[in-house]
Amino acid sequence: MATATGPAAPTDACYMLIHPRLDVETPNLQTLKRNLERGTDDIKAEALQQVISGTLQGENHDQLLMHIIRFVMPTRNKTLKKLLLLYWEVCPKYEADGKLKQETILICNALLNDLQHPNEFIRGSTLRFLCKLREAELLEPLIGPTRECLSHRHAYVRKNAVEAVSSIYRTLPHLIPDGPELISGVLQTEADMTCRRNALTMLTQSAPALAVQWLKENAQLVSGFEELLQLAVIDLIRRTARDFASEKALFIRCIFELLNAAPSAVKYEAATTLVTLSSNPAAVKAAASCYITLATKESDNNVRIIVLERLDRLRARHEGIIDDLVMDLLRVLTAPDLDVRRKVLGIVMKLTSQRNVNDVISMLKKELAKTVSDASDYDKNTDYRLLVIQTIHSCASQFPEVAASVVELFLDSIADFGASSATDAIVFIREVAEKFPDLRQGIVSHLVASFMDFKAGKVMRGALWILGEYAETPDEIREVWTRLRKAIGELPLLAAEQRELDAASSATAEGAEKSAAEPKAASSGSHRILADGTYATESSLTARATEALSLKLDSKPPLRAVLLHSDFFTGTVLASTLTKLVLRFARAASADEEQQVNSLRAEAVLIMAGIIRIGQSSFVATPIDEDSYDRVLACIRALEYMDEDADVLTEAFIDDTQSAFARLVKGEVKRVAEEERKHSNDNAVQVDDVIEFRLLAAANKGASVSNAEDTLEHDIELATGEAEGRAAVSKLDSVVQLTGFSDAVYAEAYVNVNQYDILLDVMVVNQTNTTLRNLSIEFSTLGDLKLVEKPTTYNVAPFSFSSVKASIKVSSTETGVIFGTIVYDGPNVNDSHSIVLNDIHVDIMEYIRPARCDEAQFHAMWTEFEWENKVNMSTTKEAAENLDLRGYLQHIMRATNMACLTPANALAGDCGFLSANLYARSIFGEDALANISIEKPTEESPITGHIRIRAKTQGIALSLGDKISAAKVSLSE
């Protein structure tokens, strides 16, 4: 609510907001008068607080003004004097005809006495109050004492006097026309740094020429100023750099000195200002070095991320200039926060070039070694290790000359990695093996040597695929086969397990006979809850048996242990790898090695049959699934008929799989190249573009496009949302009609969504021939929306209009609803009316942004997120006639603002089925995942299928489902 001392207007400044206490009953006027007249100082203070709160809430307390002047104003109590200043701010000072009330003369006299009070606190508080006065009749008698306070002995009074003079000069310059000269004199003679800061700020805003002249005279002393004054100097330079271009050398010299200042805020502001003054490489490097120093030394992670964001923007504007600082930036990795490290590595990847890639890789190798050796915090080390591996992966993909050393590092360390880190490493090794044929032999040898150390099923599957694809010579195939046989263990699988079980049962029986002969000890155990909810007692014998079974599985060969853990997906990959190895060996072997081919063939069939029999036995907790069973059986049949269909099987198992992966790798390279080309095109400058000369541009046109990003005006625009103003789209597109044309009050709202805030600008039109009194709009919200402040009340003249503004805070990505009513009083006393407004729906698409993540991250989030929304899809035959599956996917992506993670080459080709993964991220950091599975068997068939949406919160999952349903309906129509 506006509490400026003039007539209330929507543009008045807001000085005070007090939330009313609902648990305290508001006293009536008689009680307030009695408390103000006869109460003690404490009672008067409480009554005055109630008057201030009631006035802010719109209550009429005009009758109390004289009581406050008579009984409260003469007090010497400092608390009451402070409350009086607050009351003078909010109390109505104007009559109905717009003239000042007569009582304000008494207020002016009290203020005059307080300005001459011997207590410096009372003087300073009164001077602070003068900054909020806008009435020339009240301020004019106070100018003399205010000027005298500029030379007061106490710095508290002097600094508030400077603020008062500055405020009076800005709003009513005719009352103190020599204000700048007066403050300039204070700036020359003042010793207190806070007073000097206030004086310099006033001159910067009102008389920049005097401020620049002072800076020229004191340029050598800037480095010795205190933090507040140094910040004021930087603000002066930012505001006056364009108007005083001849002093640019002075400004840059001062800024360079402030880069070495001790306070972090001064360093940050100086670096930001320096790049607006000059695009010289030396200046850009100095600013970047300052940012890196701040990110290294600051302990607050939020500050680090802000500084790194600014550094990233600087890098984008000055490509290639700060690449030499990449090693300094890597020092920020000492920060323990994972988000800071992720941001650093992201910038490092953009700064890496042919010149420094070896140094970057060397540093990242050291960081990777630290994560392996340091076991202090396992969870954080695991996440950071995965992040470092992904960065090394991306770096080696961009710069092939370091791929060999990176592959060697991963192969030597992959056994020490966790499951997720090792999976990413094996994916990178697979990609390098496809891109660089010269490295395949070394990769196969390393994987064979390390295979027995692998524990995770994902890592084994990746290694098996690489061995099956790139072990080509007979010697390599023999070496791989020997290691796989060792990793599988004794054959046949089921018979060997049965023998081991029988042996264990015999040993258990002998142990039971011995224990029966010995005296029975008291049994000890603990109670457990079974799956059906019943209780059972777990004895130490049972616990030892379970532990022994777990240890027995862990002591088995790795592939055998994985199969006994019911991981039959790895079993299918093993069957496919064995089939490839047999086919390759048969193709490469000579006629003398026919017997060896048959031996490998028989052994492969025996292993595959063992996988199926193990999956159907009681040795596994979960039986083999149908897909895995069919896949293993297909491999067995392939080896059965390999003599008759050798060419077809070779093409299917060897040629097609390798070519499919090659297309996948090429597609990813092509996608990255297209993104880089798009980025280059966006930042490219055409030969016929207009060249802007800032010195020749008009002063009111602001900064050029290249320098606009770091100007003060640009920061203000970002804060208010005006920077994203729609040039091609009119604001009328965001206007929502709230009432009908035939209602007594017509209302429409312009909805301006600015990231975390929604600003409602409601135009209210009185369509009657009577004045509408106390008109107000009462808003309510549904969802994660919160009304920041209640709109004020207005009196609207006949056939006139008024503008009502309301601000709503958004806290999460969820479709919200804003509803409300217009309440107003008619010409009669008890004539009250209300009009229900149309609902305003806040579109979730305002907060959703397309994003990308890798396959591992997608699957990890898909497993973690618990909220799922399944939307069935179907179109009419008419809508599907001119729309294929890929066109339907594009329609869903446009409707949900999500990015497709499935590569384009995987979606290519003629097929009646399509499945793709979609991903988006909100501005609040919430992830949204979707999987679309649709089919169109024939050209005349409708498109059917479903979309599964997963998110961490229920709101975003339901909201995206509603958007997809609406898109489905719009397509059908």
Side-chain angles (χ1 to χ4, degrees), residues 111-112 146 157 185 187 190 218 241 284 292 424 431 455 458 461 616 698 706 760 793 801 804 867 877 882 901 920:
L111 294 176
L112 185 61
T146 302
V157 177
L187 186 59
E190 182 60 59
N218 297 270
V284 174
I292 294 173
D424 196 83
E431 182 180 331
K455 302 298 181 183
K458 289 184 178 180
R461 292 195 291 270
Q616 295 174 338
S706 60
L760 297 180
T793 59
F801 66 90
V804 181
W867 290 104
K877 291 184 178 181
N882 300 321
L901 301 182

Side-chain angles (χ1 to χ4, degrees), residues 688-727:
D688 56 347
D689 284 352
V690 176
I691 300 176
E692 294 186 6
F693 294 94
R694 190 172 60 188
L695 296 177
L696 303 180
N700 58 357
K701 289 185 179 180
S704 62
V705 176
S706 60
N707 290 329
E709 185 176 353
D710 291 303
T711 60
L712 180 63
E713 292 79 3
H714 179 73
D715 294 340
I716 296 174
E717 288 175 352
L718 286 176
T720 58
E722 296 177 0
E724 299 179 1
R726 306 171 184 179

Side-chain angles (χ1 to χ4, degrees), residues 636-929:
I636 293 176
R637 289 175 177 171
L639 293 181
E640 180 183 357
Y641 297 104
M642 63 176 288
D643 295 333
E644 294 85 353
D645 303 322
D647 295 337
V648 176
L649 293 174
T650 301
E651 181 180 0
F653 276 90
I654 298 177
D655 299 338
D656 288 349
T657 56
Q658 193 165 355
S659 61
F661 182 65
R663 289 196 302 271
L664 184 66
V665 173
K666 290 179 181 177
E668 183 65 20
V669 173
K670 183 178 179 182
R671 183 189 65 81
V672 174
E674 287 179 353
E675 289 183 355
E676 291 180 355
R677 183 166 60 251
K678 181 180 178 181
H679 176 72
S680 300
N681 292 337
D682 292 341
N683 295 332
V685 179
Q686 302 299 325
V687 293
D688 56 347
D689 284 352
V690 176
I691 300 176
E692 294 186 6
F693 294 94
R694 190 172 60 188
L695 296 177
L696 303 180
N700 58 357
K701 289 185 179 180
S704 62
V705 176
S706 60
N707 290 329
E709 185 176 353
D710 291 303
T711 60
L712 180 63
E713 292 79 3
H714 179 73
D715 294 340
I716 296 174
E717 288 175 352
L718 286 176
T720 58
E722 296 177 0
E724 299 179 1
R726 306 171 184 179
V729 182
S730 171
K731 287 185 177 181
L732 296 177
D733 293 338
S734 299
V735 172
V736 179
Q737 184 177 341
L738 301 180
T739 63
F741 292 108
S742 60
D743 289 325
V745 178
Y746 173 76
E748 62 182 22
Y750 166 60
V751 183
N752 182 19
V753 179
N754 176 31
Q755 291 193 348
Y756 308 106
D757 298 307
I758 299 175
L759 178 64
L760 297 180
D761 189 354
V762 184
M763 185 184 70
V764 179
V765 181
N766 181 6
Q767 300 191 116
T768 66
N769 56 2
T770 60
T771 300
L772 304 182
R773 300 180 298 107
N774 299 327
L775 184 144
S776 65
I777 303 180
E778 299 178 355
F779 286 111
S780 298
T781 59
L782 182 65
D784 288 338
L785 305 176
K786 182 180 179 181
L787 187 66
V788 176
E789 56 179 307
K790 183 179 178 182
T792 58
T793 59
Y794 298 93
N795 295 330
V796 186
F799 305 107
S800 181
F801 66 90
S802 182
S803 178
V804 181
K805 290 182 171 62
S807 180
I808 295 174
K809 184 70 68 176
V810 185
S811 57
S812 71
T813 308
E814 184 177 349
T815 299
V817 181
I818 305 170
F819 53 93
T821 56
I822 294 179
V823 181
Y824 62 92
D825 297 334
N828 300 324
V829 177
N830 297 322
D831 190 8
S832 180
H833 303 273
S834 64
I835 301 174
V836 179
L837 304 178
N838 293 331
D839 296 344
I840 301 175
H841 294 268
V842 180
D843 193 357
I844 187 179
M845 291 300 105
E846 297 284 353
Y847 308 104
I848 293 291
R849 301 288 184 271
R852 301 200 69 85
C853 67
D854 57 33
E855 183 180 356
Q857 292 172 335
F858 183 89
H859 287 297
M861 288 187 289
W862 187 270
T863 305
E864 176 187 356
F865 293 166
E866 57 183 0
W867 290 104
E868 179 173 315
N869 186 11
K870 184 177 179 180
V871 182
N872 294 321
M873 310 298 297
S874 62
T875 63
T876 60
K877 291 184 178 181
E878 294 77 9
E881 285 180 357
N882 300 321
L883 189 68
D884 59 1
L885 295 178
R886 285 184 291 275
Y888 193 83
L889 174 63
Q890 293 296 327
H891 175 71
I892 295 299
M893 290 169 57
R894 286 192 298 269
T896 58
N897 207 17
M898 302 183 79
C900 181
L901 301 182
T902 305
N905 56 357
L907 302 174
D910 296 329
C911 181
F913 176 79
L914 184 145
S915 179
N917 294 330
L918 307 179
Y919 176 64
R921 190 176 179 87
S922 73
I923 62 174
F924 303 100
E926 299 167 320
D927 299 299
L929 313 176

Side-chain angles (χ1 to χ4, degrees), residues 188-207:
Q188 297 290 346
T189 59
E190 182 60 59
D192 183 75
M193 283 295 176
T194 306
C195 298
R196 299 178 74 182
R197 188 278 307 265
N198 291 351
L200 182 58
T201 302
M202 185 267 184
L203 292 181
T204 301
Q205 297 173 353
S206 304

